[in-house]
């Protein structure tokens, strides 16, 4: 299957075909990174664009997301296989009010593959829940994900709560998600920002070496 065809299957929400296509690319020795960056992620960008232009609606966006996840599921065992040395612990979650989790999961999986122990709190995670997890798991890094401009302020609220409770200095806070920028990260007092999962792995490693 051509890359273009697989992208189209993701956009149309054909999970089985997406899975088959990804498997075919792997058989053809295409790297995991290339499949993610050049096939799956661009497909979701098209989906977002179609939604913005009112050409598709939430149900279509949801089935496209399922196809994307089916494709990523094929890659997950390979990402986890790298078996690097232990790097430390990360608590990660999508902030309150936000249900987007594909990118956050990808970051979590890539971190695991790179030797991090990851505690994934899921989606719609309230600041209090992040706080509780920091106290309980004492992670080196806290990762906050947001895909909506309306939920980005909850990143700030989470960081503020960590400050108020006196644990902010015990962790490195990373923020990410499509609308998040380096500038925003600085404004809300995060320690770092990454535009994609590969960069997230690099930045987290830089905190501990
Ligand atoms: C799929 C999708 C959905 C799915 C989500 C399914 C799921 N399980 O995640 C569903 C259908 C549920 C959904 C719902 C909604 N969505 Co939506 N969705 C998308 C879409 C098309 C793709 C997102 C995605 O998965 N991308 C692929 C991944 C791999 O990329 P990523 O998330 O950006 O993650 C990467 C980086 O950002 C980074 N990263 C991510 N998290 C983190 C965290 C850390 C710590 C770090 C370091 C890095 C990092 O690394 C990741 C991997 O490389 C986007 C379009 C877009 N351009 O983003 C819209 C989009 C985000 N959605 C949008 C909207 C409006 C909504 C709804 C409000 C629609 C509605 N009317 O109900 C609801 C909100 C529901 C809620 N409360 O959250 C808008 C947001 C607009 C805005 N300005 O805020 C977008 C941009 C679409 C658009 N163009 O209008 N959505």
């Amino acid at each position: 299957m051509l890359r273009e065809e697989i992208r189209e299957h993701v956009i149309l929400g054909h999970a089985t075909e997406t899975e088959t296509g990804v498997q075919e690319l792997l058989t053809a020795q295409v790297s995991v990174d290339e499949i993610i960056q050049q096939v799956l992620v661009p497909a979701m960008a098209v989906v977002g664009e179609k939604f913005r232009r009112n050409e598709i609606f939430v149900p279509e966006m949801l089935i496209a997301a399922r196809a994307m996840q089916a494709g990523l599921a094929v890659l997950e065992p390979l990402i986890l296989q790298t078996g690097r040395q232990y790097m430390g612990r990360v608590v990660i979650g999508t902030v309150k009010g936000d249900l987007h989790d594909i990118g956050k999961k990808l970051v979590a999986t890539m971190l695991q593959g790179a030797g991090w122990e990851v505690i994934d709190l899921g989606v719609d995670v309230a600041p209090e829940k992040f706080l509780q997890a920091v106290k309980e798991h004492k992670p080196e890094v806290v990762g906050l994900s947001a895909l909506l401009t309306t939920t980005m302020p909850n990143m700030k609220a989470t960081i503020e709560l960590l400050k108020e409770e006196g644990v902010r200095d015990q962790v490195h806070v990373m923020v990410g998600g499509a609308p998040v920028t380096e500038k925003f990260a600085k404004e809300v007092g995060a320690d770092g920002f990454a535009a994609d999962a590969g960069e997230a792995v690099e930045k987290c490693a830089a905190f501990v070496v």
Side-chain angles (χ1 to χ4, degrees):
M1 218 185 285
L2 295 171
R3 291 171 196 210
E4 189 47 48
E5 288 175 68
I6 305 170
R7 270 197 291 271
E8 203 55 32
H9 282 307
V10 177
I11 295 164
L12 294 172
H14 300 159
T16 312
E17 290 81 354
T18 302
E19 230 175 75
T20 310
V22 169
Q23 253 144 10
E24 282 179 22
L25 290 184
L26 285 176
T27 310
Q29 309 285 318
V30 180
S31 75
V32 170
D33 195 51
E34 220 176 307
I35 299 173
I36 294 174
Q37 295 305 334
Q38 294 181 13
V39 183
L40 300 177
V41 169
M44 289 316 274
V46 173
V47 171
E49 194 44 37
K50 281 179 179 286
F51 177 80
R52 202 183 54 76
R53 293 199 302 253
N54 288 324
E55 289 170 18
I56 61 166
F57 301 94
V58 172
E60 288 93 339
M61 195 152 69
L62 196 56
I63 57 163
R66 290 209 188 116
M68 166 95 178
Q69 276 163 328
L72 286 173
V74 175
L75 303 175
E76 193 174 308
L78 296 168
I79 299 173
L80 294 175
Q81 230 173 38
T82 49
R84 298 259 211 83
Q85 66 170 97
Y86 182 77
M87 299 292 286
R89 197 176 287 153
V90 179
V91 162
I92 194 166
T94 303
V95 297
K96 190 174 172 174
D98 202 318
L99 303 175
H100 295 85
D101 71 348
I102 297 175
K104 183 263 299 166
K105 270 193 197 158
L106 190 55
V107 172
T109 309
M110 296 262 295
L111 284 170
Q112 267 178 284
W116 292 85
E117 178 190 347
V118 177
I119 293 137
D120 189 341
L121 302 177
V123 296
D124 190 19
V125 182
E128 296 74 21
K129 205 166 159 197
F130 277 110
L131 171 69
Q132 191 195 331
V134 166
K135 286 183 174 168
E136 186 183 334
H137 301 290
K138 307 208 178 326
E140 279 78 10
V141 182
V142 177
L144 309 176
S145 182
L147 267 287
L148 299 171
T149 44
T150 49
T151 57
M152 284 165 73
N154 291 332
M155 292 181 146
K156 183 163 192 220
T158 303
I159 296 171
E160 291 300 320
L161 184 65
L162 296 180
K163 262 190 213 161
E164 279 165 32
E165 294 284 324
V167 294
R168 172 67 186 92
D169 296 338
Q170 297 164 22
V171 294
H172 301 281
V173 179
M174 284 286 290
V175 291
V180 180
T181 60
E182 187 88 57
K183 184 169 169 276
F184 176 81
K186 285 210 177 84
E187 279 165 17
V188 298
D191 299 303
F193 155 79
D196 60 44
E199 195 184 329
V201 168
E202 278 170 30
K203 295 248 171 111
C204 286
F207 288 139
V208 294
V209 290

